[in-house]
Amino acid sequence: MLTLRSSTTSPFGRKVKVAALVTGHSDKFKIVTADTMAADDPLRRDNPLGKIPCLILPDGSALYDSRVIIEWLDHDAGGGKVIPADWPKRVAALKLQALADGIMDAAILMLYEGRFRVAEKHEARWIDHQRGKVERGLAALEADPPVASAMPDIGTITVACMLDWMDFRFSTLAGGQYPKLAAFLAAMNKTMPGFSKTKPHV
């Protein structure tokens, strides 16, 4: 049995859960909620960085972060499941993953600025710097959105998880600014079995 330390709101943990649906590992997971802020959480023993997701293998060893875990899932499933074996397709999928991961990284920094610093100490230039990454990344995806699939690659999975999380935290799709991305996410919820069941929630 595999143990996944994650949370119900982590978009990076969700990437792993969705990839596991494609690789056939989802029924081999025991998902344990981790508190990244708790000094006594076992997460810090398994991952010295104290970050989620973290996958504990049957031999007790741990894998982190989401990209490494997904590489392991793909390899364990025989390869070519969520990370294409064909080189051009592989590079395209990994590049798309990097873009969506980067958008989430920047958005999380914006979120943490508001969560962990009092309002009078918010650094507007820092927030604007991160917001620029998010807006440019979303604009690039809106111009060339991925295609929903029942068996998506890791690039498509990461974009879908990112969009759902951005809407969950920032209502990004609610204003109609990204109609193509909204249509893509709706198609993913209809096309991929199990995807909607992994939606972020408190």
Side-chain angles (χ1 to χ4, degrees):
M1 198 70 178
L2 302 166
T3 299
L4 180 67
R5 300 197 187 284
S6 187
S7 75
T8 58
T9 59
S10 169
F12 297 102
R14 189 185 185 194
K15 277 174 57 180
V16 172
K17 296 171 191 175
V18 175
L21 292 170
V22 180
T23 61
H25 288 87
S26 58
D27 60 347
K28 302 174 184 177
F29 274 2
K30 177 176 69 172
I31 300 175
V32 177
T33 299
D35 184 351
T36 59
M37 299 302 295
D40 60 349
D41 194 290
L43 174 68
R44 297 190 182 188
R45 177 196 66 217
D46 296 318
N47 179 358
L49 301 175
K51 297 175 69 175
I52 54 176
C54 179
L55 182 68
I56 314 303
L57 302 181
D59 65 2
S61 60
L63 296 177
Y64 45 85
D65 59 7
S66 62
R67 287 166 291 194
V68 175
I69 295 170
I70 289 164
E71 284 274 5
W72 186 90
L73 293 175
D74 192 75
H75 173 76
D76 191 62
K81 304 298 182 182
V82 290
I83 303 175
D86 175 74
W87 180 245
K89 291 180 180 178
R90 181 184 184 92
V91 171
L94 294 178
K95 179 182 174 181
L96 194 57
Q97 175 183 218
L99 178 57
D101 277 348
I103 291 170
M104 290 189 289
D105 285 338
I108 286 171
L109 289 175
M110 291 167 57
L111 191 68
Y112 284 177
E113 181 77 6
R115 183 178 295 175
F116 296 115
R117 290 168 66 94
V118 294
E120 58 267 24
K121 292 188 176 180
H122 288 180
E123 181 53 61
R125 286 183 62 192
W126 173 253
I127 295 173
D128 288 344
H129 182 60
Q130 302 306 326
R131 184 180 293 111
K133 297 177 187 179
V134 171
E135 292 176 350
R136 291 190 303 272
L138 290 172
L141 290 170
E142 176 68 14
D144 186 21
V147 177
S149 168
M151 297 291 284
D153 64 31
I154 191 54
T156 302
I157 288 169
T158 308
V159 172
C161 291
M162 176 273 293
L163 289 172
D164 245 350
W165 181 80
M166 290 292 295
D167 214 37
F168 173 69
R169 289 297 189 194
F170 300 98
S171 300
T172 299
L173 300 180
Q177 186 177 356
Y178 305 103
K180 292 179 182 178
L181 291 178
F184 157 72
L185 185 59
M188 276 292 289
N189 278 289
K190 292 179 180 178
T191 305
M192 185 185 178
F195 177 74
S196 62
K197 295 179 180 179
T198 65
K199 286 180 73 68
H201 63 277
V202 178

